[in-house]
Amino acid sequence: MIRLTALCTALLAVAVAMPSLAQTEPRTEPQILATPAEAPPAPPPVPEKVYETVRVAITTSEGPIVLALEKERAPLTTANFLRYVDQKRLDGTAFYRAMKLSDDGSYGLIQGGTQGNPKKVLPKIAHEPTTKTGLSHIDGAISMARGAPGSADGDFFITIGALDSLNADPSKPGDNLGFAVFGRVVEGMDTVRKIMNAPTSPTLGQGVMKGQMIASPVRILTARRAQ
């Protein structure tokens, strides 16, 4: 009994001398994860400016062509073309030239208008270069035919494929003002391509235009403002 009591007394002393596990384990606080701040919403995209245009429908013997003319960006050239339309000066004229820059006719231009007919032409207009208007000779662009800058009147052309070489380029020497784009085809590129592929005469035309004149010009029956 004495030995057992002594043993119990010794164990009790050890138990008192040793702190409990509950006392020695560090107290941990629950972790609170910080939520990242929400990114501010992206600003809405700035809508692309829509420029005012005027539609013109050209009825040809090969089908219709509808144009959107840049009244706001090329006001002078558009106003000139609309004078020809409103005075019916394009009625009875023709598309007379097809300049093919590729064998399949997918790249080039067609040209039409008054051809210097004194009963049709109006005074010549000042030149509006693409560096001023911000327009370009994209596929289906309508632009003014000219000799020297400021000599355009009632003749125009429509491009098939992008013809950037016809844009103004101040880095080039000489006449670097290009041609005056003033609109684009919005309906009827199939008609434009038909005209491009019309047979041409190997002998008609002068200078660079020789061999590009349409053997049977495509008639412009009417040109009218459209909705």
Side-chain angles (χ1 to χ4, degrees), residues 13 18 20 24 85 102 131 137 144 160 167 172 209 211:
M18 294 178 62
S20 66
T24 58
V85 170
S102 62
T131 47
H137 288 85
M144 293 303 297
I160 296 93
N167 295 335
K172 291 182 178 179
M209 295 176 67

Side-chain angles (χ1 to χ4, degrees), residues 5 16-17 24 42 48 67 80 116-117 131 134 141 165 197-198:
T5 303
V16 171
T24 58
E48 186 177 349
L67 308 168
N80 174 69
N117 183 339
T131 47
S165 61
N197 290 304

Side-chain angles (χ1 to χ4, degrees), residues 25-169:
E25 289 183 357
R27 184 177 180 183
T28 58
E29 298 292 336
Q31 293 185 353
I32 301 175
L33 298 177
T35 56
E38 292 185 5
V46 178
E48 186 177 349
K49 180 175 173 57
V50 177
Y51 294 93
E52 185 178 358
T53 60
V54 179
R55 289 203 171 200
V56 168
I58 298 177
T59 303
T60 79
S61 56
E62 289 291 340
I65 301 170
V66 180
L67 308 168
L69 306 184
E70 294 281 352
K71 180 179 180 180
E72 192 172 351
R73 287 191 280 186
L76 190 155
T77 314
T78 293
N80 174 69
F81 193 83
L82 289 175
R83 280 192 290 269
Y84 281 89
V85 170
D86 294 339
Q87 297 176 28
K88 301 181 181 179
R89 289 175 179 266
L90 294 178
D91 294 12
T93 62
F95 284 100
Y96 53 84
R97 181 187 183 194
M99 185 181 79
K100 295 185 179 75
L101 297 177
S102 62
D103 292 338
D104 62 358
S106 63
Y107 190 61
L109 61 83
I110 61 171
Q111 184 169 323
T114 57
Q115 289 185 275
N117 183 339
K119 295 181 179 180
K120 296 280 189 180
V121 294
L122 293 169
K124 301 182 186 305
I125 59 172
H127 184 59
E128 279 184 312
T130 54
T131 47
K132 179 179 180 179
T133 63
L135 301 171
S136 182
H137 288 85
I138 60 173
D139 183 40
I142 182 169
S143 188
M144 293 303 297
R146 70 170 178 87
S151 65
D153 46 41
D155 288 80
F156 60 92
F157 61 88
I158 297 173
T159 58
I160 296 93
L163 298 180
D164 292 340
S165 61
L166 301 182
N167 295 335
D169 186 351

